[in-house]
Amino acid sequence: MSRTRTALLAAMALVAGATGTAIAAVPGAAGAAAAVPCTVDYKVQNDWGSGFTASVTITNNSAAKSSWSLKWSYAGNQRIASGWNAKVSQSGANVTAANESYNGTLATGGSTSFGFQGTYSGSNAVPATFTLDGVTCNVDSGGGPTDPPPDPTGRVNNPYDGAKVYVNPEWSANAAAEPGGSRIANQPTGVWLDRTAAINGANGKMGLRDHLDEALRQKGSGELVIQLVIYNLPGRDCAALASNGELGPTEIDKYKTQYIDPIKAILADSKYASLRIVTTVEIDSLPNLVTNVSPRATATPNCDVMKANGNYVKGVGYALNKLGDVSNVYNYVDAGHHGWLGWDDNFGASADMFKQAATAEGATVADVHGFIANTANYSALKEDHFSIGDSVAGKSVRESKWVSWNRYVDELSYAQALRNQLVSIGFDSGIGMLIDTSRNGWGGANRPTGPGATTSVDTYVDGGRYDRRFNTGNWCNQSGAGLGERPQASPEAGIDAYVWMKPPGESDGASEAIDNDEGKGFDRMCDPTYTGNPRNDNNMSGALGNAPISGHWFSAQFQELMKNAYPPLS
């Protein structure tokens, strides 16, 4: 499943003015890679008339580098005030961005991203030319853009571009039945295949073919994406009880033959060949094999078992291999979130674990179209009032209790950095990221409008952070959460889409033990009285009370998500 990105010469973006984007090709053919030594994606993220923030992504198509320096010149009077993930300096109109100590390595085909904040008056045009270590980017040897060849499978670079996304009528009906819910009832959400019975339809609900048939109806004559969550590994969710599954730790053959194989057979039906089928493959699985196994303090016996028997790796590899054979399927592997994997000892090890699974059971990295961050989680998309490079009262933001030495403070910076890491270890340079924004808006009356007091690094971070959880390890039905950015395609560099993969209003887990026939247990992290464990630094759970078992409709949560939506609902 190889893929490349569409080419646009940076100079063409000059017409975009203050909100412009310079996006260049990431060529797929060997000849193109040699002709275009490097590409630069310069995107203005926010512009308020006198200042702006921008993100820059560099892709290196030449020999591997152990350090790098990117230069450009402004045509106007833009001045850079601060940067992150690069040392950014300016002399007159000339700007230099050099690597930090932790991101100097840039493999052939590898990418890296950084950002900065600046000021200006008048115009804020995108720079026309970029040089990486003295070599001009974005042009081939003849001075023009190089168009990549089409993907031989017929897949597009980004399935979300130019496409509608499937609205699940069952979720839509639940949303529309809520007071005020009609405002979002037409939003696309993921279809969760969380047990074998869901394939044909359980308890009177639509099965997979029902959803695909409805997707064809919604598609009409245009393009349409349908989002499926593949979620039924043996020994599922070894570190959490609320979402345990139906298969025991050793039932890998049953997973293959009774779950994945039937799903593949349905998706491969030529009737559905015109749909763009996005799969989110096995959330909350592979990262557990890094963070929740011995000898770590966060280890659980169940995760030790799943690492020892290898069935998470085998299951994910098998799913990628089989589903990747269907030419209109786009596999996105779950990649946790920044508050789980953003630390130095988790970040690279998790990427390596993803690579291990992507090359197991006959799968290859070409079966991976991308990765998804923050699935069913609450981590803020962007923290505007503090950054990882800030220092207050002699201490860096990384030393604050909230950040706790993490490398990232929000999902966007984490997802973009993880993409770079994954490309550097052998994934296709065209992979894209999805970010689940269904419950990470954190709006409402408690949303900060500026940074906290500078009396200490903790008051600075805590006063300014949008994410109001007690700890980033809290994951169950979080009190105060709100709907996040609405689903949209290509919102940022390296990001294929913001999605609502977790349908808002569906519970994460029961707040007390409830008997059920779905194999779902009771996890104390869903109990509002729980005082925590090492995985959330022994903080209160922050969960809402009176919650049903996972996946069931939770009206009180839905109402809270609408109330605290950011951007607000009209």
Side-chain angles (χ1 to χ4, degrees):
M1 190 196 288
S2 63
R3 73 197 202 129
T4 54
R5 291 285 176 190
T6 305
L8 286 175
L9 185 62
M12 294 170 60
L14 289 172
V15 298
T19 59
T21 306
I23 305 177
V26 180
V36 181
C38 49
T39 63
V40 174
D41 176 347
Y42 177 111
K43 175 176 285 186
V44 174
Q45 296 178 306
N46 299 290
D47 191 307
W48 52 92
S50 60
F52 67 103
T53 59
S55 64
V56 181
T57 299
I58 307 165
T59 300
N60 172 40
N61 295 319
S62 300
K65 300 174 180 292
S66 59
S67 63
W68 51 264
S69 176
L70 183 73
K71 296 184 178 182
W72 70 87
S73 296
Y74 284 119
N77 63 357
Q78 295 98 324
R79 299 293 301 178
I80 291 178
S82 62
W84 48 93
N85 291 332
K87 299 181 179 74
V88 185
S89 59
Q90 184 169 1
S91 177
N94 302 318
V95 179
T96 300
N99 63 274
E100 295 281 8
S101 59
Y102 54 83
N103 62 358
T105 300
L106 199 51
T108 302
S111 299
T112 190
S113 298
F114 64 91
F116 60 88
Q117 181 171 321
T119 61
Y120 76 97
S121 62
S123 65
N124 186 23
V126 172
T129 303
F130 300 88
T131 62
L132 181 64
D133 297 332
V135 176
T136 302
C137 299
N138 299 338
V139 294
D140 62 18
S141 57
T146 300
D147 293 323
D151 189 308
T153 67
R155 295 184 181 92
V156 296
N157 297 326
N158 180 355
Y160 291 86
D161 278 345
K164 296 185 293 185
V165 187
Y166 176 66
V167 177
N168 181 345
E170 293 179 319
W171 176 83
S172 182
N174 284 333
E178 293 280 345
S182 60
R183 294 173 293 175
I184 63 166
N186 64 343
Q187 292 291 349
T189 55
V191 174
W192 286 57
L193 302 175
D194 61 353
R195 48 187 165 143
T196 302
I199 300 172
N200 292 322
N203 300 325
K205 290 189 174 183
M206 296 169 68
L208 178 55
R209 282 193 179 274
D210 297 323
H211 284 292
L212 293 169
D213 290 341
E214 172 63 15
L216 287 175
R217 188 194 69 77
Q218 292 184 21
K219 176 181 181 296
S221 60
E223 300 291 346
L224 184 135
V225 169
I226 181 170
Q227 304 171 126
L228 307 177
V229 179
I230 307 300
Y231 186 48
N232 198 31
L233 276 177
R236 191 179 74 191
D237 286 5
C238 59
L241 300 174
S243 44
N244 286 165
E246 64 185 353
L247 300 179
T250 64
E251 294 186 293
I252 185 66
D253 290 337
K254 188 177 289 188
Y255 174 80
K256 292 177 178 180
T257 60
Q258 298 184 23
Y259 181 71
I260 294 298
D261 288 353
I263 291 173
K264 178 193 174 176
I266 293 172
L267 299 186
D269 188 332
S270 60
K271 178 181 182 181
Y272 306 121
S274 65
L275 297 171
R276 298 177 182 179
I277 302 171
V278 164
T279 62
T280 295
V281 179
E282 294 296 354
I283 67 170
D284 291 347
S285 59
L286 299 174
N288 276 312
L289 303 183
V290 174
T291 67
N292 294 323
V293 293
S294 298
R296 300 226 184 168
T298 53
T300 70
N302 290 341
C303 289
D304 283 337
V305 167
M306 297 318 299
K307 184 169 184 178
N309 68 26
N311 284 342
Y312 279 5
V313 169
K314 294 173 187 176
V316 170
Y318 188 84
L320 292 173
N321 178 21
K322 295 300 180 180
L323 302 179
D325 288 342
V326 183
S327 61
N328 57 317
V329 166
Y330 300 78
N331 287 322
Y332 289 81
V333 178
D334 182 74
H337 56 91
H338 91 275
W340 186 1
L341 304 183
W343 283 271
D344 293 339
D345 53 353
N346 296 346
F347 188 78
S350 295
D352 293 340
M353 181 62 70
F354 302 151
K355 176 79 173 292
Q356 181 183 344
T359 52
E361 298 291 306
T364 72
V365 293
D367 289 312
V368 179
H369 204 75
F371 291 79
I372 180 168
N374 205 45
T375 312
N377 208 265
Y378 298 85
S379 295
L381 180 64
K382 300 177 187 177
E383 290 286 7
D384 295 324
H385 303 313
F386 64 97
S387 68
I388 203 67
D390 292 350
S391 294
V392 175
K395 290 191 175 183
S396 73
V397 158
R398 291 192 72 200
E399 296 177 78
S400 67
K401 183 178 179 181
W402 172 254
V403 178
S404 187
W405 295 104
N406 202 313
R407 284 283 182 194
Y408 306 97
V409 300
D410 54 32
E411 284 308 291
L412 180 59
S413 62
Y414 165 75
Q416 290 174 324
L418 181 61
R419 178 188 176 278
N420 296 340
Q421 177 70 17
L422 292 162
V423 170
S424 75
I425 64 171
F427 284 93
D428 192 287
S429 60
I431 59 171
M433 304 295 292
L434 305 177
I435 301 177
D436 189 345
T437 59
S438 59
R439 304 182 301 179
N440 70 348
W442 294 103
N446 292 325
R447 183 178 177 87
T449 57
T454 57
T455 50
S456 72
V457 72
D458 285 324
T459 57
Y460 176 72
V461 170
D462 289 341
R465 59 182 168 95
Y466 297 139
D467 188 337
R468 306 313 298 172
R469 289 178 292 176
F470 293 116
N471 184 272
T472 57
N474 287 358
W475 53 268
C476 194
N477 300 326
Q478 291 299 284
S479 176
L483 302 168
E485 289 284 347
R486 314 306 178 251
Q488 56 185 289
S490 299
E492 296 282 353
I495 309 299
D496 279 352
Y498 296 152
V499 297
W500 283 9
M501 202 60 70
K502 172 71 174 183
E506 293 188 1
S507 175
D508 295 319
S511 51
E512 58 185 19
I514 298 176
D515 290 336
N516 65 89
D517 61 359
E518 300 177 28
K520 296 170 181 175
F522 168 53
D523 195 300
R524 290 296 307 281
M525 286 297 290
C526 300
D527 177 356
T529 68
Y530 185 48
T531 56
N533 57 49
R535 289 188 293 282
N536 79 332
D537 288 336
N538 297 296
N539 282 277
M540 295 294 294
S541 71
L544 294 168
N546 301 310
I549 64 172
S550 61
H552 288 224
W553 190 254
F554 189 7
S555 177
Q557 184 202 52
F558 186 79
Q559 289 295 328
E560 185 152 344
L561 291 172
M562 288 195 297
K563 180 182 70 174
N564 296 323
Y566 193 89
L569 298 177
S570 57

